[in-house]
Amino acid sequence: MSEFLVGLLGERLVNSEKAEVDVQSLGAKLSLVGLFFGCSLNAPCKQFNGSLCEFYSRFKKTSEHKDKLEIVFISSDQDQKHWQDFLQEMPWPALPFKDRHKKMKLWNKYKVTSIPSLVFVDAATGKVVCRNGLLVVRDDPKGLEFPWGPKPFAEVVAGPLLRNNRQTTDSSSLEGHYVGVYFSAHWCPPCRSLTRVLVESYRTVKESGKKFEIVFVSADRSEESFKQYFSEMPWLAVPYPDEARRSRLNRLYGIQGIPTLILLDAEGHMITRQGRVEVLNDPECRLFPWHPRPVLELSESNAVQLHEGPCLVLFVDAEEEGELEPAKELIQPIAEKLMAKYKAKEEETPLLFFVAGEDDMTDSLRDYTNLPEAAPLLTILDMSARAKYVRDVEEITPAVVEQFVGDFLAEKLKPEPI
């Protein structure tokens, strides 16, 4: 276990007293590590840090599992003095301030998109146990549910569900259905826009004869807002007063922002977290239930995924529909191979694959990332790290792409700033 943690965190951490902490000394009993992603200048991070300190102190004093948990601070601070002052408030160690490369790897590996974020991972494997540790701290202040591992959807959602005619049905009615778990709120403009599209998609899928249901998990700020918003929806909802169940569903899927649409198969296993993108990209629902595709054509609706981790983007000289197909066929086998490798390890793929033609959005992306006008152009863009990797060659072959991907994953490529 300690060897794995050294690979994940490095050999040394640092504590509030500026002393080095040997990662291998964290303890043989350690089974869970909470990665706390935050920044001293962020007010919600400061507020959450106070709650986390109370939680941590109580857990270490009273829990029978006190030796099985450690927390590590992963900072996005740019100023060392601010970082050091914030660390003074923490009873746990932190990644060294100067180890920015390791920090970015962790941000990408665990797909952190907002702060504060607390991700609990298995100390022996690094696999995510719970993405939304903020809700653990709020909902289980005594740590009684340690280690907060995922439970089956059917167990977490169990109970009565509402229809907008005020009738109820039991969650067992979802058995044998594809299910969309829809995290949304009336106060959120992108949520309302997606809901209008989703209503049509829902009806299209239902009319095709497929067993499909959606469960709305509200983030509204009042029951009145919930009722108003839910009146527009033809599907089911977790009752608004059942805050505990709504919170457990948020925790189960590590929701970091809304709108989010999670798609589940008939057994309750996740198909994709990108239901929002899929619905917007496929209004006729031809690709339902939207299993992840190895290669995507870059569009306005899926460009948001560029910010969720490193992405390979192959820019080609294509303006008409269908002209991107040769480029997709070129990189698809490499993408499929990588997806299969990480699926076998029950991990998310570390790289998304896109092809991009010639349009205004692609031009904006080239301008933003300061890429040359060449086409074809093979790139890997890491927006969160503000880094790019460019392979500008006359001919792009599968061997060139595979070498490029392999070198990136092996950290052999030198990044250029975005």
Side-chain angles (χ1 to χ4, degrees):
M1 178 192 71
S2 58
E3 288 182 9
F4 173 80
L5 277 182
V6 168
L8 187 71
L9 301 172
E11 294 184 356
R12 301 279 187 275
L13 302 174
V14 62
N15 63 21
S16 59
E17 299 172 354
K18 300 183 181 180
E20 287 190 344
V21 177
D22 189 333
V23 169
Q24 298 207 37
S25 71
L26 290 179
K29 296 181 180 179
L30 187 67
S31 63
L32 197 70
V33 177
L35 301 176
F36 173 23
F37 296 87
C39 175
S40 67
L41 301 180
N42 179 279
C45 288
K46 296 279 285 185
Q47 183 177 0
F48 175 68
N49 187 61
S51 301
L52 185 57
C53 284
E54 292 178 14
F55 173 88
Y56 181 86
S57 175
R58 187 184 303 112
F59 189 89
K60 289 294 187 180
K61 287 178 181 176
T62 64
S63 175
E64 62 181 302
H65 305 294
K66 60 184 178 182
D67 295 329
K68 296 180 180 179
L69 173 69
E70 190 52 87
I71 291 173
V72 177
F73 179 47
I74 316 294
S75 170
S76 56
D77 279 288
Q78 301 298 310
D79 183 278
Q80 188 162 2
K81 177 68 165 58
H82 291 154
W83 170 79
Q84 187 65 54
D85 289 346
F86 198 23
L87 188 57
Q88 293 291 317
E89 304 173 17
M90 301 177 183
W92 50 77
L95 219 61
F97 176 79
K98 294 182 179 179
D99 200 348
R100 295 186 179 181
H101 176 68
K102 185 74 72 177
K103 292 176 191 175
M104 289 314 309
K105 280 190 65 178
L106 290 167
W107 276 71
N108 285 333
K109 180 177 178 67
Y110 295 110
K111 300 191 182 301
V112 176
T113 57
S114 62
I115 55 172
S117 184
L118 179 63
V119 182
F120 288 111
V121 303
D122 188 300
T125 65
K127 290 181 181 176
V128 174
V129 174
C130 176
R131 285 190 182 278
N132 204 330
L134 276 69
L135 292 180
V136 168
V137 172
R138 190 191 74 181
D139 297 344
D140 185 25
K142 296 182 180 180
L144 300 179
E145 296 178 34
F146 178 90
W148 311 295
K151 296 176 180 177
F153 168 72
E155 180 180 334
V156 178
V157 80
L161 297 171
L162 290 178
R163 292 199 179 278
N164 62 14
N165 61 5
R166 299 186 181 180
Q167 292 183 344
T168 63
T169 184
D170 191 76
S171 59
S172 60
S173 65
L174 298 172
E175 291 177 10
H177 287 65
Y178 291 105
V179 176
V181 191
Y182 184 35
F183 299 85
S184 184
H186 187 264
W187 54 260
C188 161
C191 294
R192 297 198 301 273
S193 297
L194 178 60
T195 296
R196 287 192 289 271
V197 178
L198 188 55
V199 167
E200 296 305 316
S201 298
Y202 176 79
R203 288 176 175 149
T204 298
V205 174
K206 297 281 274 188
E207 288 168 4
S208 74
K210 295 185 176 70
K211 289 188 172 183
F212 179 46
E213 193 52 83
I214 293 176
V215 177
F216 170 43
V217 184
S218 172
D220 286 295
R221 292 165 178 160
S222 71
E223 187 164 9
E224 194 57 40
S225 292
F226 162 77
K227 288 178 179 177
Q228 179 185 347
Y229 193 28
F230 185 45
S231 69
E232 306 168 12
M233 303 176 183
W235 46 73
L236 303 172
V238 175
Y240 187 82
D242 196 344
E243 186 176 350
R245 191 163 30 145
R246 290 191 287 125
S247 183
R248 287 195 298 271
L249 286 162
N250 271 272
R251 191 202 308 179
L252 178 63
Y253 296 114
I255 303 304
Q256 297 187 40
I258 55 173
T260 295
L261 178 63
I262 306 286
L263 267 297
L264 309 178
D265 65 19
E267 284 74 47
H269 302 132
M270 189 188 299
I271 295 173
T272 180
R273 302 179 62 87
Q274 299 296 338
R276 174 191 184 184
V277 171
E278 297 294 351
V279 164
L280 294 175
N281 268 351
D282 183 27
E284 297 179 358
C285 305
R286 292 177 179 174
L287 300 175
F288 180 86
W290 300 302
H291 287 280
R293 283 165 286 161
V295 183
L296 299 174
E297 294 183 17
L298 190 62
S299 66
E300 287 189 14
S301 57
N302 64 29
V304 64
Q305 292 177 259
L306 293 174
H307 296 274
E308 295 181 0
C311 298
L312 181 143
V313 183
L314 174 57
F315 293 89
V316 294
D317 186 4
E319 296 182 5
E320 302 298 326
E321 190 174 342
E323 290 184 350
L324 289 172
E325 284 305 313
K328 289 173 69 175
E329 291 171 5
L330 174 71
I331 63 177
Q332 179 135 337
I334 295 127
E336 288 175 343
K337 183 178 176 182
L338 195 66
M339 284 180 69
K341 176 182 176 182
Y342 281 86
K343 185 176 182 179
K345 296 196 292 183
E346 297 183 352
E347 295 180 15
E348 293 187 48
T349 179
L351 195 62
L352 298 178
F353 290 76
F354 292 87
V355 293
E358 291 182 300
D359 54 33
D360 291 343
M361 196 205 65
T362 300
D363 290 342
S364 297
L365 179 60
R366 281 186 185 263
D367 290 343
Y368 177 75
T369 54
N370 196 26
L371 288 170
E373 290 297 320
L377 183 69
L378 185 61
T379 69
I380 291 175
L381 304 178
D382 188 347
M383 296 298 200
S384 57
R386 299 190 63 80
K388 64 186 178 187
Y389 307 81
V390 181
R391 182 63 52 88
D392 189 359
V393 294
E394 287 188 11
E395 183 181 7
I396 295 176
T397 65
V400 168
V401 177
E402 192 152 20
Q403 181 73 45
F404 188 51
V405 170
D407 287 348
F408 171 77
L409 296 175
E411 300 182 28
K412 293 180 180 178
L413 301 180
K414 185 176 180 181
E416 300 174 44
I418 290 179

